[in-house]
Amino acid sequence: MTPRLYVIGLVVENMAASLAFYRRLGLAIPPEADAEVHVEAPLPGGLRLAWDTIDVIRSFDLHWTPPAGGHRISLAFARLPAT
């Protein structure tokens, strides 16, 4: 299998503020997404950008704490069949 970058995940404290920033960069994110706890936006080439609130992350990792230094980006890879 060949790994392929699939999702870039951001953990946010304030969903509306974060989405507003990415809208200013040109992403088409509907206004109603501001009230969601998980949001995804497609990027060119099949990559997706995803936002999750801290509560969502803690729903599957009870002991999660924000990393030192403020970085909150994760990468996810899809498994593709070998060609």
Side-chain angles (χ1 to χ4, degrees), residues 51-74:
W51 297 262
D52 288 296
T53 63
I54 292 172
D55 288 340
V56 167
I57 300 304
R58 286 191 177 139
S59 74
F60 57 84
D61 183 354
L62 295 175
H63 303 292
W64 184 88
T65 57
H71 302 286
R72 297 182 182 174
I73 296 176
S74 61

Side-chain angles (χ1 to χ4, degrees), residues 5 7 14 21 27-29 38 42 47 54 58 61 69 75 80:
L5 184 60
V7 175
N14 184 322
F21 171 78
L27 290 180
I29 305 166
H38 173 83
L47 187 61
I54 292 172
R58 286 191 177 139
D61 183 354
L75 304 175
L80 302 176

Side-chain angles (χ1 to χ4, degrees), residues 22-57:
Y22 285 93
R23 285 185 190 104
R24 287 190 298 274
L25 294 178
L27 290 180
I29 305 166
E32 58 271 12
D34 290 356
E36 299 296 327
V37 295
H38 173 83
V39 177
E40 293 187 17
L43 298 174
L47 187 61
R48 296 180 306 157
L49 187 55
W51 297 262
D52 288 296
T53 63
I54 292 172
D55 288 340
V56 167
I57 300 304

